[in-house]
């Protein structure tokens, strides 16, 4: 059976985690939400657990339930969306730690699971999730246990020169200094901002997968697309929907088995190539839902498959070609790919 194949090198993910960990003097957690940014959360998180990671983050309680099954009892699994209505039984049965984001969530949690662990998110200016300073002051009136940790999230950490970083850092310090709580502020971008952003542990996600803003990261993903059919086209013939490409020389066109339904966004087509080992071959015509045409005229031998993600053309490059960010390319990688793991020693 031939299908498009997404290969992740787990040893590279481990190396990226270790490199991010080495940039700080504190603990380093791992963010594996959205199925480890499209790579497969069970395999990625198990590998990270094997090199000593004990604290994990996902977005939803349902993701946490699956992660608990993969990791067993030892790991701390934190739920960034907190405790939403209907989450209590999932949180309790899988022993998940919700990161509570509002007074409503705090009250819901204390009522449903009064003895279960929780963490707290504080809003320091992003206005996405978290308790506002006034809520935070109000919380002191509520009789509750101690949070496992308190955290906040930076809105502009991918831009080290942005004034928002220092502003949020100051707000976070004002809200938490002197309380003796375990604290976390930095994701990948925050780690790179320097030690005052590190606190007790960091929460990298994208850097583990080798993408910007962690420019020193190693490439993790290879995506190989099988060629279904090859044809010769004459000068003046066109390829694909809307006739956007016309042969200017006698050409050999390979049609590969993936398309925008697999996360290879239509917008990346014009600038993107597929690779036969070291040789780039341009995409021709529109990317379709399940198919892409590639000009393989210059190859001496047409292989069985071509690569669209590799060390030459990373997720960040595809992102630039499509006018988006590496995060969106990775998390769009489709369910139809067979995921294969290397470096799992
Ligand atoms: C996604 C996320 C992270 C990880 O961010 P990266 O930029 O991928 O490192 C950390 N903390 C929170 C709150 C997040 O939502």
């Amino acid at each position: 059976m031939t299908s498009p194949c997404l290969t992740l090198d787990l040893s590279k993910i481990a190396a990226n985690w270790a490199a991010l960990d080495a940039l700080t003097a504190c603990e380093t957690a791992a963010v594996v939400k959205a199925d480890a940014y499209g790579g497969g959360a069970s395999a990625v998180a198990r590998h990270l657990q094997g090199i000593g990671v004990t604290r994990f983050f996902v977005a939803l309680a349902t993701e946490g339930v699956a992660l608990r099954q993969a990791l067993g009892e030892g790991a701390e699994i934190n739920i960034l969306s907190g405790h939403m209505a209907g989450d209590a039984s999932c949180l309790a049965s899988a022993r998940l730690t919700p990161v509570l984001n509002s007074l409503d969530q705090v009250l819901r949690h204390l009522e449903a699971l009064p003895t279960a662990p929780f963490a707290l998110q504080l809003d320091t200016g992003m206005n996405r999730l978290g308790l506002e300073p006034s809520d935070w002051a109000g919380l002191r009136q509520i009789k509750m246990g101690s949070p496992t940790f308190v955290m906040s999230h930076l809105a502009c950490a991918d831009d080290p020169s942005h004034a928002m970083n220092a502003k949020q850092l100051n707000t976070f310090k004002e809200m938490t200094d002197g309380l003796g709580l375990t604290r976390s502020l930095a994701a990948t971008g925050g780690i790179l901002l320097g030690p005052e952003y590190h606190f007790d542990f960091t929460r990298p996600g994208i850097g583990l997968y080798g993408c910007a803003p962690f420019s020193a990261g190693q490439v993790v993903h290879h995506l190989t697309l099988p060629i279904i059919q090859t044809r010769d086209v004459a000068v003046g013939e066109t390829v694909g929907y809307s006739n956007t490409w016309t042969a200017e020389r006698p050409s050999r066109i390979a049609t590969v088995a993936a398309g925008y339904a697999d996360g290879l966004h239509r917008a990346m087509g014009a600038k993107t190539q597929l690779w036969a080992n070291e040789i780039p071959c341009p995409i021709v015509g529109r990317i379709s839902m399940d198919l892409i045409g590639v000009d393989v005229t210059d190859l001496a031998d047409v292989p069985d498959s071509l690569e669209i993600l590799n060390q030459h053309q990373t997720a960040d490059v595809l992102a630039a070609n499509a006018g988006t960010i590496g995060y969106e390319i990775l998390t769009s990688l489709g369910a139809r790919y067979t995921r294969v793991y290397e470096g799992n020693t």
Side-chain angles (χ1 to χ4, degrees):
M1 189 184 67
T2 309
S3 67
C5 181
L6 177 64
T7 306
L8 280 87
D9 188 333
L10 296 173
S11 71
K12 298 283 169 53
I13 294 180
N16 289 336
W17 181 86
L20 289 162
D21 185 54
L23 292 174
T24 76
C26 68
E27 185 192 332
T28 303
V31 178
V32 295
K33 62 191 179 187
D35 207 21
Y37 293 44
S42 299
V44 169
R46 265 200 222 114
H47 193 76
L48 288 169
Q49 188 179 40
I51 61 164
V53 180
T54 58
R55 218 188 269 265
F56 293 87
F57 285 83
V58 289
L60 296 174
T62 48
E63 295 182 294
V65 170
L67 193 60
R68 176 62 73 201
Q69 273 172 10
L71 294 180
E73 284 311 307
E76 179 188 293
I77 300 176
N78 298 291
I79 309 301
L80 288 166
S81 61
H83 187 151
M84 293 190 282
D87 280 348
S89 67
C90 268
L91 293 171
S93 64
R95 292 156 314 285
L96 308 174
T97 306
V99 183
L100 304 176
N101 288 303
S102 63
L103 281 180
D104 278 352
Q105 287 206 339
V106 169
L107 297 173
R108 179 181 294 131
H109 187 71
L110 291 178
E111 185 174 333
L113 304 170
T115 60
F118 63 92
L120 293 171
Q121 174 149 215
L122 308 177
D123 179 42
T124 53
M126 189 177 186
N127 284 309
R128 190 175 67 168
L129 288 176
L131 296 149
E132 305 257 338
S134 58
D135 301 330
W136 180 226
L139 256 199
R140 312 277 162 79
Q141 321 300 321
I142 297 175
K143 215 168 153 287
M144 57 195 283
S146 194
T148 307
F149 57 83
V150 293
M151 58 168 270
S152 189
H153 194 54
L154 297 168
C156 304
D158 59 341
D159 176 3
S161 68
H162 205 296
M164 185 69 167
N165 296 319
K167 197 167 168 234
Q168 287 192 265
L169 175 62
N170 282 335
T171 305
F172 189 58
K173 285 207 257 187
E174 278 166 22
M175 291 173 84
T176 59
D177 269 353
L179 299 178
L181 298 168
T182 298
R183 296 188 282 183
S184 175
L185 179 61
T188 302
I191 292 173
L192 304 173
L193 293 179
E196 65 273 38
Y197 288 84
H198 296 164
F199 295 92
D200 296 303
F201 70 89
T202 62
R203 312 182 308 271
I206 196 72
L208 304 177
Y209 312 105
C211 286
F214 186 39
S215 52
Q218 298 191 42
V219 172
V220 166
H221 301 81
H222 281 248
L223 178 54
T224 309
L225 308 180
I227 295 176
I228 305 172
Q229 187 181 19
T230 308
R231 72 182 61 249
D232 293 318
V233 300
V235 172
E237 287 195 274
T238 58
V239 171
Y241 283 121
S242 308
N243 291 3
T244 60
W245 186 84
T246 306
E248 288 172 1
R249 57 172 179 169
S251 301
R252 184 135 247 249
I253 304 298
T255 303
V256 298
Y260 61 75
D262 304 293
L264 303 173
H265 305 312
R266 204 162 160 277
M268 71 176 60
K271 296 179 182 163
T272 299
Q273 301 168 323
L274 274 72
W275 296 75
N277 294 316
E278 301 299 306
I279 306 174
C281 308
I283 288 178
V284 293
R286 288 268 160 81
I287 292 176
S288 325
M289 188 184 294
D290 323 293
L291 301 166
I292 301 175
V294 185
D295 183 351
V296 294
T297 313
D298 294 330
L299 296 182
D301 294 302
V302 178
D304 294 335
S305 61
L306 297 167
E307 281 192 334
I308 190 164
L309 269 180
N310 60 20
Q311 66 281 7
H312 304 298
Q313 185 170 264
T314 63
D316 287 328
V317 173
L318 289 188
N321 293 353
T324 181
I325 52 176
Y327 296 77
E328 193 181 21
I329 297 296
L330 291 184
T331 57
S332 302
L333 290 173
R336 292 193 287 195
Y337 301 136
T338 303
R339 282 163 174 74
V340 172
Y341 299 97
E342 283 178 350
N344 195 0
T345 48

